[in-house]
Amino acid sequence: MNKRIFRYMGLLILLTVVVFAALWGTILTSQFGTQMKEGLQTLRVSVIDPSGTVLFDNMADPETMESHLNRPEVAAALQTGRGEDERLSDTLDKKTYYYAMRLEGGNVLRLALTTDSLAVLLFRFIPVVLLCLILAACLSFVVARRLTRRLVAPINNLDLDAPDLSGYDELLPLLEKIETQKKELSLQLAEIESRAATITAITGNMREGLLLLNREGRVLLANDSALRILGVRDAVRKHLIELCRDVAFLERASACLAGEKGETSLQLDGRFYSVFFNPVLDGGDLDGVVVLFIDVTERYASERQRKEFSANVSHELKTPLTAIAALSELIANGTAKDADVRPFAGKIQKQARRLIDMIEDIIRLSEFDEEGVPREFTRFNLYTAAEAVIDSLGEKAAERSVTVKLLGDPHLSVTANLRMTDELMYNLVDNAIKYNQEGGSVTVELSEDAQAVRLCVRDTGIGISEEHLDRIFERFYRVDKSRSKKTGGTGLGLSIVKHVAELHGGHVVVESQEGKGTSFTCLFKKA
Ligand code: ADP
């Protein structure tokens, strides 16, 4: 590159000098010619005799001219044969050159040439010089620009991936440095990408929603769960306020952006979340905020269920106990007549029986809530077990003139918890009798396929209307409270049935038509 710059600069200077010299030469030559012509036209010729008298003058009358003996050039010519002198005019703007020579006869021939003084000459040339300078400068500018472009073009068009630097060797160290930095950058980029991929993989598989906010509260990172929870497709660069409008949530977020750790609960789309806000601090300064959403819907629901259950249990237990207390008090304080004592005792017994049934059902249900309790599974004949259950309810069925049939393979066996399966069948058949019509019928049908054993209890009873079907498995839920109480129901039977089926990897399906009958089908998974 040095050589190239040197070459271009040399060329430029040479060109400027040549152009300037050519212009200057041309102008001078023409000026010189003019000067010469003017000189010849103004050449003054005088002849002076040795006494100094002017004999001839082409520009003045010799008669009127004074003696020229004392003129330096005339005196020198008379003495030495030649003489010369130069004199400035009075106004100093003209200069006259004199040259004298002694002729053979002793006279002196004098030639005089008057030209402008040097200052005037110089002054006259100034516009010409300026013009030459301007022309040379313009030309130099144009040429310099073109040369600079040519010089810089290879650098501008340099392809960093396949650099061609012939003639630009001085740039090689710079290029090497760029290349090294390029490699370092691509390594760092690959590392950042791999870290980002790891973070995305980790957070992408999280069930919990995760948001990373910058200190302005804008989202830097949001995992899939967070997007799903907030119901948005993209959250990056959005402000938290654009994603959720819950006041408590936003207040907690603002507090966290001020450096305060916090927690709040949030309800979105019918689900409940615990949201944790953690400030990310870098040496005391807030760098951002991590927001974690944990779905607590199930926990919330079971807590609510537990609370409702406790409230219901107290209420349900209180009713028979109040009756027992009232009746026994009548007997104890002698208010009851002798004839009433027996019926009162009967009622007390009935209420006590109800209490015992209810407490037994509550105990059974609480067993299901205990996690980690080992359940004993055995293989037994389901047909025989169903037969026994139907037998135990025979009296009740007869009281209501309800006939109970058992259908299916008498050798059908199942691997299950015997006691619980008995309870399930008892509750279903008991209900089918209780909620049946006088003279109605109940059919218990057993079947199996490769995956499951099926137990179906069908009745021709009162049926259950559509709006209650979803709720009958809830604890203490009864369609008709008075009827259920009259028939000694606790409102816990179907809840137990559902739990037992689920414990065996199955479920219960109910179909019903009001006034026509109901069928409950339980599935026990074989595996
Ligand atoms: P209960 O002890 O009151 O029978 P369950 O939990 O066994 O409680 O049943 C809940 C409710 O479902 C009952 O109160 C009753 O209204 C309804 N039910 C259950 N089985 C039947 C059935 N076979 N036919 C009609 N209604 C039924």
Side-chain angles (χ1 to χ4, degrees):
M1 191 166 75
N2 271 346
K3 274 190 214 152
R4 199 171 280 209
I5 295 173
F6 181 76
R7 225 171 35 231
Y8 284 174
M9 282 188 72
L11 189 69
L12 192 65
I13 291 167
L14 193 72
L15 199 78
T16 314
V17 169
V18 168
V19 169
F20 190 75
L23 282 168
W24 187 235
T26 318
I27 290 160
L28 270 189
T29 312
S30 78
Q31 199 65 27
F32 186 70
T34 320
Q35 210 54 22
M36 286 285 283
K37 274 186 212 154
E38 281 175 6
L40 277 177
Q41 281 162 14
T42 57
L43 187 67
R44 187 173 178 185
V45 182
S46 317
V47 179
I48 302 144
D49 72 4
S51 67
T53 308
V54 180
L55 299 177
F56 170 78
D57 193 296
N58 66 335
M59 292 200 174
D61 181 8
E63 297 287 313
T64 62
M65 294 175 72
E66 61 184 8
S67 168
H68 273 46
L69 200 60
N70 57 349
R71 302 284 157 92
E73 72 280 1
V74 177
L78 286 169
Q79 266 180 22
T80 62
R82 273 171 217 282
E84 56 183 54
D85 194 18
E86 52 181 66
R87 288 191 286 280
L88 275 173
S89 67
D90 292 344
T91 53
L92 297 176
D93 61 340
K94 299 271 183 200
K95 198 170 196 179
T96 311
Y97 295 94
Y98 296 94
Y99 184 75
M101 62 186 288
R102 199 175 60 214
L103 298 172
E104 266 184 30
N107 289 339
V108 171
L109 174 71
R110 188 186 73 166
L111 301 175
L113 188 68
T114 301
T115 62
D116 294 325
S117 73
L118 188 66
V120 173
L121 273 176
L122 281 177
F123 193 73
R124 193 189 291 164
F125 276 116
I126 283 177
V128 180
V129 174
L130 275 178
L131 184 72
C132 289
L133 277 175
I134 289 168
L135 280 175
C138 287
L139 195 77
S140 307
F141 175 77
V142 173
V143 174
R145 209 160 74 153
R146 294 202 69 176
L147 288 178
T148 311
R149 277 191 188 153
R150 276 179 69 178
L151 188 74
V152 173
I155 301 173
N156 279 342
N157 302 332
L158 192 67
D159 177 5
L160 283 175
D161 294 325
D164 173 19
L165 275 180
S166 44
Y168 287 84
D169 298 345
E170 294 82 355
L171 291 181
L172 272 177
L174 183 72
L175 273 186
E176 275 166 16
K177 190 137 197 148
I178 291 174
E179 187 59 31
T180 323
Q181 285 189 344
K182 227 171 91 180
K183 277 183 191 153
E184 272 175 22
L185 271 178
S186 62
L187 276 176
Q188 284 171 357
L189 202 71
E191 199 181 316
I192 290 169
E193 278 172 358
S194 117
R195 275 193 207 168
T198 314
I199 291 174
T200 312
I202 293 171
T203 58
N205 288 321
M206 276 169 66
R207 269 190 63 228
E208 294 80 15
L210 180 85
L211 287 183
L212 193 62
L213 309 179
N214 68 8
R215 60 180 90 115
E216 280 90 43
R218 290 198 175 274
V219 177
L220 294 174
L221 182 143
N223 72 349
D224 292 347
S225 299
L227 296 179
R228 179 180 39 75
I229 290 167
L230 294 167
V232 289
R233 297 181 82 199
D234 193 16
V236 175
R237 279 189 288 280
K238 284 189 183 155
H239 198 278
L240 209 54
I241 200 160
E242 298 172 63
L243 303 172
C244 178
R245 295 287 161 105
D246 186 276
V247 179
F249 173 84
L250 290 173
E251 274 175 6
R252 278 280 105 235
S254 313
C256 194
L257 286 165
E260 199 185 304
K261 206 170 159 173
E263 185 189 338
T264 188
S265 33
L266 182 68
Q267 190 186 349
L268 284 175
D269 262 349
R271 297 199 72 81
F272 296 87
Y273 300 94
S274 277
V275 189
F276 298 88
F277 294 88
N278 276 298
V280 181
L281 300 170
D282 180 13
D285 293 331
L286 186 93
D287 240 13
V289 164
V290 175
V291 189
L292 196 69
F293 299 79
I294 297 177
D295 192 332
V296 291
T297 312
E298 271 77 42
R299 205 172 71 200
Y300 187 85
S302 69
E303 224 158 79
R304 199 184 53 190
Q305 219 175 26
R306 230 189 328 266
K307 276 185 198 156
E308 275 177 16
F309 183 65
S310 313
N312 281 333
V313 165
S314 323
H315 177 77
E316 296 288 338
L317 292 181
K318 204 177 156 204
T319 317
L321 270 176
T322 314
I324 290 170
L327 290 169
S328 54
E329 205 181 312
L330 288 178
I331 297 170
N333 63 23
T335 321
K337 289 184 228 143
D338 285 350
D340 290 335
V341 170
R342 272 177 78 97
F344 280 8
K347 281 182 182 167
I348 290 172
Q349 193 196 20
K350 200 176 163 204
Q351 293 300 337
R353 186 69 254 158
R354 222 168 103 70
L355 268 177
I356 292 165
D357 285 350
M358 200 175 295
I359 289 166
E360 277 175 353
D361 279 353
I362 290 168
I363 291 169
R364 267 177 222 125
L365 273 173
S366 66
E367 275 176 27
F368 293 111
D369 291 340
E370 282 173 44
E371 282 172 20
V373 177
R375 321 278 178 189
E376 198 190 319
F377 278 60
T378 49
R379 188 142 189 91
F380 57 89
N381 185 315
L382 187 64
Y383 189 92
T384 318
E387 224 169 20
V389 168
I390 292 167
D391 269 359
S392 69
L393 284 164
E395 205 176 316
K396 203 170 186 174
E399 272 173 25
R400 317 203 74 234
S401 321
V402 173
T403 47
V404 185
K405 276 187 290 186
L406 177 62
L407 304 176
D409 178 5
H411 303 291
L412 187 98
S413 292
V414 70
T415 305
N417 182 292
L418 178 61
R419 182 174 64 82
M420 288 181 181
T421 313
D422 273 349
E423 274 162 21
L424 175 141
M425 292 192 289
Y426 187 93
N427 281 320
L428 288 178
V429 179
D430 185 38
N431 280 349
I433 297 168
K434 270 195 313 193
Y435 302 106
N436 218 316
Q437 325 269 16
E438 195 67 35
S441 73
V442 175
T443 311
V444 180
E445 192 176 346
L446 306 175
S447 59
E448 73 175 322
D449 60 21
Q451 280 88 39
V453 171
R454 215 173 251 100
L455 176 129
C456 181
V457 180
R458 259 192 313 273
D459 65 59
T460 54
I462 57 170
I464 306 162
S465 67
E466 185 83 30
E467 79 256 30
H468 297 288
L469 280 181
D470 275 353
R471 303 203 57 192
I472 51 171
F473 295 99
E474 285 174 25
R475 295 172 184 189
F476 295 114
Y477 189 84
R478 292 132 170 160
V479 176
D480 180 348
K481 221 165 184 161
S482 59
R483 178 169 183 143
S484 168
K485 278 190 184 164
K486 239 194 291 162
T487 52
T490 60
L492 296 171
L494 284 182
S495 188
I496 293 172
V497 167
K498 184 178 157 226
H499 274 93
V500 173
E502 281 172 2
L503 198 82
H504 290 85
H507 58 269
V508 190
V509 180
V510 55
E511 284 167 289
S512 186
Q513 255 188 307
E514 235 185 322
K516 289 208 164 165
T518 309
S519 83
F520 288 91
T521 309
C522 297
L523 266 143
F524 293 82
K525 263 196 178 168
K526 278 189 168 169

